[in-house]
């Protein structure tokens, strides 16, 4: 479970563009590329779904 949380934090900080070098080095040593790729794809899909739902809600209100 700690690996999953660390992967989520790593991917979300990459989306925002904020990451300390020490945190990056620690994440790179403990995560596999497959974990980061899967977490990134899931996070991107959730972001797209959230944007689409947000736009649909705003359009239905207007």
């Amino acid at each position: 479970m700690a690996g999953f949380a660390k992967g989520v934090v790593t991917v979300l900080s990459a989306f925002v563009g904020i990451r300390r070098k020490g945190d990056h080095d620690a994440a790179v040593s403990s995560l596999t590329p497959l974990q980061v790729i899967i977490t990134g794809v899931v996070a991107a899909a959730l972001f797209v779904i959230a944007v689409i739902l947000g736009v649909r809600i705003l359009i239905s209100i207007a």
Side-chain angles (χ1 to χ4, degrees):
M1 193 62 161
F4 174 73
K6 195 175 276 193
V8 170
V9 170
T10 300
V11 168
L12 292 180
S13 65
F15 276 7
V16 176
I18 301 172
R19 192 75 174 169
R20 287 187 295 200
K21 177 126 176 77
D23 292 340
H24 172 73
D25 293 339
V28 167
S29 66
S30 66
L31 295 173
T32 65
L34 184 61
Q35 289 174 315
V36 176
I37 290 169
I38 291 172
T39 306
V41 168
V42 170
L46 290 174
F47 176 73
V48 169
I49 290 169
V51 169
I52 290 172
L53 288 175
V55 168
R56 286 187 178 194
I57 289 171
L58 288 175
I59 289 174
S60 68
I61 291 173

